[in-house]
Amino acid sequence: MDFRELVKVRRAVRNFEDRVVPMSLVKDIITDSCEAPSGSNRQPWSFIVITNKNVMKSISDESKKNILKEMEHNPSTSLSGYKAILKDPGFNVFYNAPCLVYIAGPKEVRSVAVDCALAASYFMLSAADRGLGTCWVDLGSAITDPALRTEIGLPEDHVIVGTIILGYPVEIPEKPPRNEPNILKIVP
Ligand SMILES: Cc1cc2nc3c(=O)[nH]c(=O)nc-3n(C[C@H](O)[C@H](O)[C@H](O)COP(=O)(O)O)c2cc1C
């Protein structure tokens, strides 16, 4: 696929076929992600792959609970528009995805957020190139429960940056509208 076609095909997918993604394919996509640039070539990213739907449900419940708690302290948070769905016990933040991948790195690395976000971007493009769909699901990143963090193998000193669901898309959604590029100034 040529690059311009690929960026058009990469959409946030929230509806997946009931079909397992082979682990070899997940690993190939992760390998592509590691081609991303990073500050001082530090490559601070690590990956956690979860295919267990019960674990995904537990994480969804935990993250919803924590975000709602956060909203009580900060009602004007940018997530406040999601309050109603977060309160809905039937809403799983990971939709029906067969696979969830966390991209995380050590908190103390200054560029960890940028580096892991770049790896996530490569991840989403690689997946699209291979006929898979992804969606970055920030609503699924608020995991504080130590037992759950241990269960998924998230080191204590790590911060989750990217939370990406992965699967075979039922369909590729329409592109949501994009603003015209906001070029503040061209300084000749
Ligand atoms: C940092 C970030 C957080 C996001 N969090 C969520 C989320 O929690 N739930 C969700 O359904 N989509 C989430 N999305 C997906 C966006 O809604 C989606 O990328 C956006 O609407 C543009 O659509 P497109 O990806 O098809 O271009 C997130 C995307 C990004 C980059």
Side-chain angles (χ1 to χ4, degrees):
M1 210 182 301
D2 115 332
F3 183 72
R4 269 161 212 87
E5 202 183 327
L6 178 59
V7 289
K8 281 195 190 116
V9 158
R10 200 262 350 127
R11 295 267 67 91
V13 172
R14 300 180 178 89
N15 193 7
F16 298 93
E17 289 176 11
D18 185 15
R19 188 172 152 200
V20 169
V21 182
M23 197 46 65
S24 59
L25 194 45
V26 179
K27 286 182 179 170
D28 287 346
I29 295 167
I30 289 175
T31 301
D32 285 346
S33 312
C34 297
E35 294 292 334
S38 61
S40 305
N41 196 24
R42 212 178 277 109
Q43 306 163 58
W45 42 66
S46 295
F47 301 83
I48 293 169
V49 182
I50 300 167
T51 56
N52 182 313
K53 292 242 180 162
N54 294 328
V55 174
M56 285 165 74
K57 169 79 169 68
S58 301
I59 300 173
S60 172
D61 290 344
E62 155 81 358
S63 190
K64 283 160 67 183
K65 183 189 75 186
N66 288 332
I67 295 170
L68 283 167
K69 214 190 293 169
E70 209 180 294
M71 272 175 198
E72 281 170 25
H73 298 293
N74 180 14
S76 59
T77 166
S78 57
L79 292 175
S80 56
Y82 296 99
K83 197 170 182 175
I85 49 163
L86 289 170
K87 280 188 164 177
D88 175 356
F91 173 65
N92 185 321
V93 298
F94 302 123
Y95 308 99
N96 59 337
C99 182
L100 163 65
V101 177
Y102 282 114
I103 306 179
K107 283 177 203 157
E108 95 266 356
V109 174
R110 198 168 174 267
S111 58
V112 67
V114 176
D115 296 337
C116 290
L118 281 161
S121 200
Y122 274 51
F123 185 99
M124 293 187 282
L125 288 170
S126 171
D129 189 49
R130 296 165 187 276
L132 288 155
T134 58
C135 184
W136 185 315
V137 180
D138 217 34
L139 292 180
S141 62
I143 317 173
T144 56
D145 177 31
L148 198 48
R149 288 177 70 102
T150 302
E151 185 177 2
I152 66 168
L154 183 65
E156 226 174 272
D157 67 343
H158 273 43
V159 59
I160 291 172
V161 177
T163 306
I164 315 282
I165 50 172
L166 176 73
Y168 291 94
V170 169
E171 62 189 353
I172 306 292
E174 282 292 303
K175 176 176 116 171
R178 288 298 199 263
N179 302 329
E180 284 300 311
N182 180 25
I183 300 173
L184 289 175
K185 188 169 181 174
I186 295 174
V187 182

